[in-house]
Amino acid sequence: MKRIFFFILFICITCATVIAQTKIYRGNSTYTSDLLYTWDGKHLYRGNSTYTSDIIYSWDGKYLYRGNSHYSSDIIATWDGRFLYKGKSNYSSDTLYTFDGKYIYQGRSNYTSDTVATWSNNRLYNGYSVYTSDILYRVDGMFPPILFVFI
């Protein structure tokens, strides 16, 4: 019985460590020198850190907070699954970006001319492109692409 408990505990710790291992690199690189951010599913950290003091943003799936805060006064943006709004708002006039699963558009738009970035194969491309030369970031793991507009 003890062995089963410790095995389950080991699996849980391993899974938590894997979640904390999402890395975001500059361009198409995977070199340590190009590692910009670490994501644990709730916090975005500077570089290869997971220290509380290195938290840039906190995310609960709906609200993006400044630093390691969950106070409503620290809400930077609100996400509803398609639109990203300024602050704690869901008014159409406060729409910052639209995300359709592949493209990030400026404002409340889906016009090609308003494309800010393209999300494909865990890479964020500049504008309406999937050319290697247009890769802005590479992600090794899970990361909400809409949050790229803040980094």
Side-chain angles (χ1 to χ4, degrees), residues 51-110:
Y51 292 115
T52 306
S53 60
D54 289 326
I55 294 174
I56 302 168
Y57 298 117
S58 297
W59 170 258
D60 66 9
K62 180 173 183 175
Y63 298 113
L64 180 67
Y65 301 87
R66 186 179 342 278
N68 190 25
S69 174
H70 284 290
Y71 294 112
S72 61
S73 61
D74 289 327
I75 294 174
I76 298 169
T78 302
W79 173 245
D80 72 1
R82 179 176 168 107
F83 301 108
L84 186 69
Y85 301 94
K86 178 174 53 175
K88 190 176 180 180
S89 173
N90 61 356
Y91 292 115
S92 177
S93 61
D94 289 333
T95 304
L96 298 171
Y97 298 94
T98 302
F99 181 59
D100 67 5
K102 183 168 184 169
Y103 301 105
I104 299 173
Y105 302 96
Q106 182 73 43
R108 200 173 189 89
S109 173
N110 61 356

Side-chain angles (χ1 to χ4, degrees), residues 29 44 64 71 75 77 91 113 117 119 129 145:
S29 177
L44 184 70
L64 180 67
Y71 294 112
I75 294 174
Y91 292 115
S113 61
W119 176 249
S129 173

Side-chain angles (χ1 to χ4, degrees), residues 9-21 39-40:
L9 181 63
F10 172 75
I11 295 298
C12 290
I13 291 170
T14 303
C15 289
T17 303
V18 169
I19 289 171
Q21 295 305 314
W39 174 252
D40 70 2

